[in-house]
Amino acid sequence: QRNPFFYEIARWELERLGVPVDMIVTIEAPVSSTHDEAVAVQTFATSHDVHSVLIVTSAYHSRRALSVFRKVFDDKMTTGVQAAAPGWQTPLPSCWWFSVRGWQMVPGEYGKIIYYSLVY
């Protein structure tokens, strides 16, 4: 037994919501960073003639994700971002500092923004 990958859970949820199985595409390339994800998506998009990408991520991560994807795509593809609704995994933007999860995620994101702006 193993814990399912997030993309597997997302696929199951899409199927539960009625999205036809043949319309769901999963990019299963192993990644360890937002930059790696952007490169994997760019590779897929280029080989499948995709012209635009909508990134769905947490509100606290959306600024960095959009910046990284735009740099990797180098203006060759339309890129947008949509923040997912806050839930048990993502603290509310107005009160993240009231939760342990917020303190685990949000301050680290500021460090990552600085790192990514310097490295990429």
Side-chain angles (χ1 to χ4, degrees), residues 73-115:
F73 291 169
D74 196 27
D75 295 328
K76 295 176 184 155
M77 187 176 314
T78 303
T79 310
V81 68
Q82 175 64 49
W88 66 271
Q89 289 184 320
T90 306
L92 290 166
S94 60
C95 58
W96 64 264
W97 56 86
F98 292 129
S99 71
V100 172
R101 186 83 170 136
W103 280 101
Q104 291 170 336
M105 296 170 20
V106 176
E109 185 62 27
Y110 287 107
K112 291 175 185 179
I113 289 170
I114 293 168
Y115 172 80

Side-chain angles (χ1 to χ4, degrees), residues 37-53:
E37 287 179 314
V39 170
V41 171
Q42 179 194 39
T43 301
F44 175 86
T46 301
S47 66
H48 289 81
D49 200 31
V50 174
H51 301 287
S52 65
V53 173

Side-chain angles (χ1 to χ4, degrees), residues 21-47:
V21 174
D22 61 331
M23 297 301 293
I24 302 171
V25 179
T26 305
I27 302 171
E28 297 179 21
V31 297
S32 61
S33 69
T34 304
H35 182 265
D36 289 353
E37 287 179 314
V39 170
V41 171
Q42 179 194 39
T43 301
F44 175 86
T46 301
S47 66

Side-chain angles (χ1 to χ4, degrees), residues 55-63 65 81-86 89-91 105:
I55 305 159
V56 180
T57 189
S58 340
Y60 74 91
H61 179 245
S62 60
R63 180 183 312 164
V81 68
Q82 175 64 49
Q89 289 184 320
T90 306
M105 296 170 20

